[in-house]
Amino acid sequence: MQLFIDTNIFFTFFNLSSESIDELKKALVLHEHERLTLWLPEQVEDEFWRNRESVINQVISEFKKESQNGQVPQIVRYSDKADDLIQNLKEYKRLKQSILNDVSEKIEAQNLEADEAINEIFKSGKKIERTQEITDSALLRYDLGNPPGKKGSYGDAVNWLSLLQAVPDDNDLHIVTDDGDYFSELQKDQANEFLRREWKKRKSGELFVYKRLSQYISKNHPEATNVAEIEKNIAIENLQDSGSFQRTHSVISELSSFGSFNQSQAMKIIEAYLINEQINWIAKDADVKAFGEKIAKAHKDDIEEEKLNEFKELFV
């Protein structure tokens, strides 16, 4: 699955958006485990670093505005709760200043939680170089009035042409962006008609757009409830597909690091033990046996008796 995250989406993890940074971490894990390819045009990195300070400054300015000066109106001063209110306002100001001091240090060091997640994506994403050919073509595209693009800027066109050049043919493309140029004027949850037709013609694939990263993940990776669950489910899939004894031992080691498994996950592990000869042939090896017995004990009330007994017999 091919994914492009527009620059404006990265900035939602700095402001008052309800999006959790965990969504970025999920996308990164899915990319690292090859469940998706996260494309990173050079233009996106440039746009991010060009605008990061401005976005953060705006957020901090808004945070500073939302404050009280420690005073209360005369009409409520004689309430029996007024003294408590004044003390709470003073504590509020103190905590707020402490937070600003802490955040300022992290901003300067570029180690806000959002910074760290985005930097990991920038390191791991599949990079697309911005060539002179792409830049020239983007300028022509802008002059012709073809989307995406805003007045006075053709950075969006550079990103789009980068994707057209780099993404392999016969692939759908999923774009997460808050930029209206990518969306249909008629059907707000669909891609712009011109871009959709162009992708179909040039790449023989479909184009999908999302306003939020969480929308993309929930629709296309519903099992990705959190980073730990993604890694756990991928490890179980690797166990099911294990093609060698060595691979089995490696995956068992990874699975053993997780604390618990739900009923569905436990059933998949048991089925893997029963079906895959690269597992059941070495089921009595110490690590494979210990992990299997741990699953059997933890889920003895969840699994039908016949299946559970068949599983236990592997270790006898």
Side-chain angles (χ1 to χ4, degrees):
M1 191 169 288
Q2 315 299 315
L3 173 65
F4 168 61
I5 302 175
D6 202 0
T7 315
N8 51 61
I9 296 300
F10 289 122
F11 287 130
T12 64
F13 296 97
F14 290 90
N15 58 32
L16 294 176
S17 165
S18 60
E19 285 281 80
S20 167
I21 291 174
D22 281 347
E23 301 302 324
L24 281 177
K25 296 176 180 178
K26 291 177 191 178
L28 179 61
V29 171
L30 290 165
H31 171 75
E32 290 176 338
H33 288 278
E34 299 181 353
R35 267 45 182 187
L36 62 83
T37 300
L38 208 168
W39 292 94
L40 185 64
E42 184 179 351
Q43 180 71 17
V44 168
E45 287 193 74
D46 284 355
E47 288 175 351
F48 177 81
W49 292 114
R50 186 167 62 244
N51 293 289
R52 175 182 176 273
E53 285 188 342
S54 175
V55 169
I56 291 174
N57 182 59
Q58 183 178 355
V59 172
I60 293 297
S61 296
E62 289 299 317
F63 182 66
K64 287 179 177 178
K65 284 180 187 176
E66 198 281 290
S67 71
Q68 294 285 343
N69 59 13
Q71 297 180 332
V72 297
Q74 290 293 336
I75 60 173
V76 301
R77 184 174 293 278
Y78 299 104
S79 166
D80 57 1
K81 299 183 178 66
D83 286 344
D84 289 340
L85 174 62
I86 292 170
Q87 289 304 314
N88 285 332
L89 286 172
K90 289 179 179 178
E91 178 63 8
Y92 168 81
K93 285 184 68 179
R94 186 192 68 78
L95 286 173
K96 188 166 188 175
Q97 188 58 53
S98 176
I99 290 170
L100 283 169
N101 293 340
D102 180 51
V103 168
S104 294
E105 292 178 6
K106 292 185 175 182
I107 291 170
E108 181 66 26
Q110 296 179 0
N111 64 1
L112 294 166
E113 190 174 0
D115 282 325
E116 292 175 348
I118 292 166
N119 275 322
E120 285 301 311
I121 285 178
F122 285 177
K123 289 178 186 175
S124 301
K126 197 167 181 65
K127 298 181 184 295
I128 310 174
E129 180 185 0
R130 183 183 53 230
T131 64
Q132 189 62 50
E133 179 185 357
I134 288 176
T135 303
D136 292 342
S137 297
L139 183 56
L140 175 61
R141 186 183 186 94
Y142 173 81
D143 288 341
L144 292 172
N146 293 336
K150 293 172 285 295
K151 187 175 182 180
S153 171
Y154 55 97
D156 291 335
V158 170
N159 285 330
W160 176 252
L161 291 171
S162 296
L163 294 163
L164 278 171
Q165 180 189 86
V167 176
D169 292 345
D170 302 312
N171 272 285
D172 296 340
L173 177 64
H174 300 259
I175 295 179
V176 185
T177 180
D178 198 31
D179 192 332
D181 289 350
Y182 286 95
F183 290 85
S184 166
E185 291 285 343
L186 296 176
Q187 309 218 9
K188 300 300 184 181
D189 60 343
Q190 292 189 16
N192 174 284
E193 184 177 39
F194 185 95
L195 298 177
R196 196 168 67 243
R197 287 169 59 86
E198 185 177 19
W199 191 264
K200 183 75 170 179
K201 180 179 179 180
R202 296 270 301 272
K203 311 303 288 186
S204 300
E206 299 298 329
L207 182 64
F208 302 95
V209 289
Y210 312 83
K211 288 277 188 182
R212 297 155 65 97
L213 186 54
S214 57
Q215 291 175 343
Y216 162 78
I217 289 178
S218 63
K219 182 174 181 179
N220 297 284
H221 307 278
E223 75 288 354
T225 54
N226 58 59
V227 171
E229 286 301 302
I230 296 172
E231 293 180 331
K232 197 181 296 184
N233 287 327
I234 289 173
I236 292 170
E237 290 177 20
N238 290 337
L239 182 68
Q240 292 171 315
D241 297 336
S242 177
S244 70
F245 297 156
Q246 181 179 2
R247 178 62 171 159
T248 296
H249 285 297
S250 175
V251 177
I252 290 293
S253 175
E254 183 181 358
L255 286 168
S256 298
S257 68
F258 296 110
S260 62
F261 299 88
N262 60 40
Q263 182 178 354
S264 173
Q265 292 167 336
M267 274 303 306
K268 290 177 181 178
I269 291 169
I270 291 172
E271 290 292 342
Y273 268 73
L274 294 172
I275 295 171
N276 190 331
E277 294 180 345
Q278 300 300 324
I279 305 171
N280 56 51
W281 282 2
I282 57 170
K284 295 180 183 178
D285 285 9
D287 57 334
V288 183
K289 180 179 179 180
F291 179 70
E293 288 179 334
K294 173 185 173 182
I295 294 296
K297 181 179 179 181
H299 294 273
K300 62 182 186 298
D301 298 326
D302 301 334
I303 312 302
E304 61 182 62
E305 186 176 359
E306 184 178 350
K307 178 75 71 176
L308 189 60
N309 289 334
E310 183 184 3
F311 181 52
K312 288 180 176 179
E313 287 176 6
L314 293 174
F315 313 121
V316 178

